[in-house]
Amino acid sequence: MSDKRRLRPVPTESAVVSPAPAVVCPEPTAVLPELTAVPTEPTAIRIRQLTARAGRAGYRLERATRVPFDWMLLDAEDGTNIYSSTDLEQIERWLDE
């Protein structure tokens, strides 16, 4: 191995960069509640409960990865889309039928 590979330049004072100060951001829900990526705790619990209910009925509950982000009930065995809706209330009503 040549000496050039092992040698590293020593930074001068002008080359030393101090870290940026920490920035504290407000909670996203305080600024844009409709754009929050993380569901609130009651919503997360409801999604888990509805997912379990769909599973007992032979379905998988999933959220589409593209706009309009519909909720989908898929067949648990083959993944066929059985029912789609933009909100969970309609999924619950469909499971009630």
Side-chain angles (χ1 to χ4, degrees), residues 1-78:
M1 182 182 279
S2 78
D3 288 336
K4 287 184 181 180
R5 285 186 174 174
R6 285 189 272 156
L7 297 178
R8 295 182 187 193
V10 176
T12 61
E13 281 189 40
S14 62
V16 175
V17 179
S18 61
V23 177
V24 178
C25 296
E27 286 291 319
T29 55
V31 180
L32 299 171
E34 68 277 1
L35 297 178
T36 303
V38 178
T40 61
E41 187 58 27
T43 302
I45 291 170
R46 182 174 175 217
I47 291 168
R48 284 193 298 270
Q49 291 171 340
L50 193 53
T51 300
R53 182 177 169 199
R56 288 189 299 273
Y59 306 109
R60 283 191 338 251
L61 178 66
E62 293 186 8
R63 188 97 192 246
T65 57
R66 295 187 182 182
V67 174
F69 303 113
D70 284 348
W71 289 99
M72 302 174 298
L73 279 176
L74 307 174
D75 184 272
E77 291 182 18
D78 63 12

